Amino acid sequence: AKATKVLEVLAAHDNDSAEGERPRVLVITCDQVVVHRGEIREKPTSVDEAKSFIRGYGIEPPSTVGSVMVTDVQSGRSSLAVDVNTILFDGPFPDDVVDGLVADGTCMKCAGGLMVEHELLQPYLNRIDGRMDGVMGLSAVTVERLLAEYI
């Protein structure tokens, strides 16, 4: 819905331009969720939910599922890709690690409360099947591949 609104505003602006003055406009939109134990997780809605999410990641690997769409405003053509990354931790996490992550507060703004880059989780990070930038929300490789279709 947000992407549609952005495209409407850009298209209206594009209509105000003279024919020879139109720059090429590509819009990149993206979103991400965490999938864990078959559940789709967005941002935690409470401290208790965040703690529950984080504890679970130390027991079973979570995956991030990110989508990226590139849209050419003038033609309306879009290309979409989905990027999946799985994170393996050496857990379970001690209570002080879970409490510290939640006390920091940043996890409340992240899909699934997942913050693999946080210093408290780094000692427990075993490996990522995928790429760190994809885990953090936007895979540069995926964006470059989609942009290459337009350039």
Side-chain angles (χ1 to χ4, degrees), residues 25-87:
V25 177
L26 299 175
V27 175
I28 301 171
T29 53
C30 60
D31 200 6
Q32 182 184 58
V33 296
V34 171
V35 177
H36 187 250
R37 297 178 178 157
E39 292 181 7
I40 295 172
R41 297 182 171 177
E42 298 196 35
K43 294 177 184 116
T45 58
S46 69
V47 167
D48 288 340
E49 185 175 59
K51 287 182 179 184
S52 175
F53 285 179
I54 294 165
R55 279 191 187 99
Y57 304 151
I59 298 167
E60 278 185 57
S63 294
T64 60
V65 180
S67 61
V68 180
M69 184 164 69
V70 175
T71 303
D72 183 317
V73 173
Q74 286 79 12
S75 71
R77 178 177 164 239
S78 295
S79 297
L80 175 70
V82 175
D83 183 55
V84 179
N85 303 275
T86 301
I87 305 95

Side-chain angles (χ1 to χ4, degrees), residues 102-142:
V102 174
D104 175 83
T106 309
C107 70
M108 302 299 289
K109 301 174 186 173
C110 298
L114 181 62
M115 294 184 58
V116 299
E117 72 281 10
H118 198 284
E119 64 185 22
L120 290 174
L121 282 186
Q122 283 294 299
Y124 301 93
L125 182 59
N126 179 309
R127 76 174 192 271
I128 296 172
D129 292 341
R131 295 176 45 93
M132 179 63 98
D133 59 350
V135 169
M136 293 179 66
L138 187 61
S139 167
V141 171
T142 301

